[in-house]
Amino acid sequence: LPPGAIRRDPIEEWGNDATRQQMIKWWEHNIIPSIDNKSVRDQYHHPEESAARCASSLLEHYHRFNFELVCESYTRGATFFPTEKTIRAIMGNKPFLVYGPTDYLTNLQKLGFKTFSGIWNEQYDCYEGPQRWHHMRYIIDMICNWDNVTRQNVLTQCASITKHNRNRLWE
């Protein structure tokens, strides 16, 4: 922080209480279960479950899902720092949505990657914080409500994008 700057509580930056309550309500009603019966705490409470083992166990289950919700490490401010979270989705040929800072997808495109704007509305990239999540939530709900035929058609459309992205990453 610059000299004299006042550190603000990150929760206060999330907007008004109604926005926070909306986010909490969505999470409470859209529980995402563990695919491997592990929790983040397992690596701390069970020595035999190292961080590396917990992380690699995800790869054992990667074939079981079709889309990835990437939650990047840096999500606020004028930053662009893709991590293994984005790289994993690209290497795994998965269509993705990214909870990250404003213009994250735009910056990926500047690097030659393609995103999924032809499949769903990527206007969420113009926002950060709860506003970004609010826009992403509609896409997530839409994906979750697709029937099998629609999901398969979308995955077919996404295949050329995911293949391009993986090739671009190798370049």
Side-chain angles (χ1 to χ4, degrees), residues 26-44:
W26 189 90
W27 277 109
E28 287 173 348
H29 289 79
N30 293 282
I31 303 301
I32 301 171
S34 171
I35 60 172
D36 60 1
N37 297 317
K38 305 257 185 272
S39 77
V40 172
R41 292 186 183 106
D42 286 343
Q43 63 185 306
Y44 302 109

Side-chain angles (χ1 to χ4, degrees), residues 76-91:
R76 303 293 298 251
T79 184
F80 176 65
F81 189 75
T83 66
E84 81 286 351
K85 298 165 195 74
T86 298
I87 302 305
R88 181 182 58 228
I90 292 171
M91 286 301 300

Side-chain angles (χ1 to χ4, degrees), residues 98 101-107 122-127 132:
V98 179
T102 303
D103 295 327
Y104 188 91
L105 299 177
T106 301
N107 285 314
E122 290 185 336
Q123 183 181 0
Y124 73 87
D125 196 42
C126 299
Y127 302 94
R132 187 180 188 94

Side-chain angles (χ1 to χ4, degrees), residues 9-38:
D9 181 353
I11 299 299
E12 290 176 15
E13 293 181 12
W14 279 21
N16 61 34
D17 189 54
T19 301
R20 285 190 297 278
Q21 292 306 318
Q22 232 181 8
M23 290 175 71
I24 291 167
K25 184 178 178 181
W26 189 90
W27 277 109
E28 287 173 348
H29 289 79
N30 293 282
I31 303 301
I32 301 171
S34 171
I35 60 172
D36 60 1
N37 297 317
K38 305 257 185 272

